[in-house]
Amino acid sequence: MSKFINSATAGEVCQYLGLKVLNEGDMNAEISFSNIYRADFELAGHKHLDSLKSLVLWSGIESSFLDSYTSLKKIIDIISVIVEMHPPGIVVTEKFKYTNNLLKIAKRENVNVFYTNMASAEFTSAAETYISRKIAKYTIIHGAIVQIFGVGVLIKGESGVGKSELVMQLVDKGHIFIGDDAVDVARFGNILFGKTNKYADRFVEVKGLGMVDIEKVCGVQKMLPSCNIEMVIEIVDGSKQKNEFDRSRQQVKTTRICGINLPYYTVSRVAAIAENCVVDYKLRNAGHEPMINYNEHITNTEMEEK
């Protein structure tokens, strides 16, 4: 496994969130931090940073704060201090009253200014989620990711065991392809996030057939660029298959990926069995325990026979 860090640019965030460009500066300006900066210290007249590597958001709250200054010159001076820190971009909402003043300064300093019609909380959530996933420290894992019945599944196994064949079977049955051979995964809190590796992209290498372009063969409706990973399925040779279920404890085993424990199943490369693993996982999450139900069934059957 190898690790790498992605980058996010102002232009990418603008395009992803559908922001309107009010002033175009350097659209390739890099964003190094996912948090949306409201510039509270600077608005209060206290500069504590020389430069900014986060997006800045200004809305009604910032307008109200600036309104507390009686001098327009003072307001412009404060806005200038923040713009001169050259953030990757400043995002304003319709509630920010000083947009025209901001634009004059931003043009001079070649700083991006964007407009969003989203509420501040909505924009902050969407932007921070997107940027976090863009700049996260990813680990490249040899495996595949398929979304089965809405559950993101990391499929692992030794080279040549049949991961790609299983992926093709699952996609043919209507499940969603994320990536094959090499996938990028990262941890966000207690969530494991996985996405297509830029080199493997939409291609699957199948024995005896070669490279298969999933987009061309199955259509974009069978693809997603990313998803959360909830469980792991490892493909093993039938003669070497492990018993992933501990009958005495009535629990599925787990495996640790990027510091997160995930339910872990071992199967042969049969799509129906992989589907059953996901169904088992979903039933357990809903409170159903197969072995307990089975034991109750045996007990009830024996009682009926007496």
Side-chain angles (χ1 to χ4, degrees):
M1 295 189 295
S2 57
K3 295 185 178 182
F4 65 96
I5 299 175
N6 277 321
S7 62
T9 66
E12 289 172 333
V13 175
C14 174
Q15 182 178 12
Y16 180 79
L17 296 178
L19 305 179
K20 181 179 179 181
V21 180
L22 300 183
N23 183 67
E24 184 172 341
D26 181 8
M27 296 295 273
N28 292 317
E30 288 198 357
I31 301 170
S32 301
F33 302 100
S34 61
N35 62 300
I36 301 302
Y37 193 64
R38 302 301 290 261
D40 299 342
F41 282 99
E42 288 75 16
L43 288 172
H46 306 292
K47 181 181 177 182
H48 72 299
L49 295 171
D50 293 325
S51 63
L52 280 175
K53 294 298 182 180
S54 301
L55 285 181
V56 174
L57 174 64
W58 282 342
S59 187
I61 294 175
E62 288 73 26
S63 282
S64 297
F65 200 98
L66 290 171
D67 285 342
S68 65
Y69 295 105
T70 56
S71 166
L72 179 59
K73 182 180 182 303
K74 177 66 173 178
I75 293 172
I76 292 173
D77 287 344
I78 289 176
I79 294 175
S80 295
V81 167
I82 299 165
V83 175
E84 288 167 4
M85 294 166 70
H86 295 98
I90 298 175
V91 183
V92 297
T93 72
E94 62 180 354
K95 293 183 178 180
F96 185 67
K97 294 162 45 178
Y98 298 94
T99 299
N100 289 334
N101 304 99
L102 167 62
L103 288 174
K104 291 178 183 178
I105 305 165
K107 287 177 182 177
R108 183 188 74 209
E109 297 295 328
N110 194 38
V111 170
N112 296 303
V113 178
F114 306 115
Y115 169 80
T116 180
N117 57 10
M118 289 185 275
S120 296
E122 181 186 5
F123 171 81
T124 299
S125 176
E128 289 186 345
T129 299
Y130 174 74
I131 297 169
S132 292
R133 290 181 173 179
K134 282 288 291 180
I135 68 175
K137 186 179 293 185
Y138 282 88
T139 299
I140 301 175
I141 290 181
H142 178 61
I145 302 174
V146 179
Q147 196 175 69
I148 305 173
F149 300 135
V151 175
V153 180
L154 174 63
I155 300 173
K156 299 182 68 181
E158 296 178 0
S159 295
V161 77
K163 294 186 296 297
S164 297
E165 286 81 357
L166 176 60
V167 168
M168 290 300 298
Q169 289 178 38
L170 289 166
V171 174
D172 188 57
K173 288 168 71 70
H175 302 295
I176 307 299
F177 174 84
I178 310 298
D180 184 51
D181 190 43
V183 292
D184 304 337
V185 301
R187 175 176 180 168
F188 297 94
N190 289 322
I191 295 174
L192 190 66
F193 178 75
K195 67 186 184 74
T196 307
N197 180 272
K198 64 181 179 181
Y199 295 107
D201 197 32
R202 63 186 187 274
F203 297 96
V204 176
E205 186 175 8
V206 181
K207 289 179 184 176
L209 186 59
M211 284 296 179
V212 175
D213 187 332
I214 293 289
E215 182 178 328
K216 295 289 191 296
V217 174
C218 302
V220 294
Q221 70 274 14
K222 295 287 187 69
M223 301 172 60
L224 278 176
S226 61
C227 71
N228 292 339
I229 299 171
E230 298 182 45
M231 60 181 291
V232 177
I233 289 178
E234 182 171 358
I235 306 173
V236 296
D237 185 280
S239 61
K240 301 177 181 178
Q241 186 166 346
K242 304 171 187 176
N243 179 17
E244 82 286 352
F245 183 71
D246 183 341
R247 289 176 179 269
S248 62
R249 297 178 61 194
Q250 299 174 348
Q251 292 180 348
V252 172
K253 288 186 177 181
T254 61
T255 187
R256 200 165 181 82
I257 306 289
C258 295
I260 298 177
N261 288 326
L262 295 175
Y264 170 76
Y265 296 78
T266 57
V267 302
S268 57
R269 65 170 191 267
V270 178
I273 298 178
E275 288 177 324
N276 285 334
C277 289
V278 175
V279 171
D280 179 78
Y281 164 74
K282 296 183 78 170
L283 286 173
R284 290 176 186 277
N285 277 351
H288 299 281
E289 293 290 345
M291 281 303 296
I292 293 176
N293 294 341
Y294 174 73
N295 290 335
E296 290 177 351
H297 166 72
I298 294 299
T299 301
N300 292 336
T301 301
E302 290 175 344
M303 291 178 64
E304 288 174 0
E305 290 178 349
K306 290 180 180 180

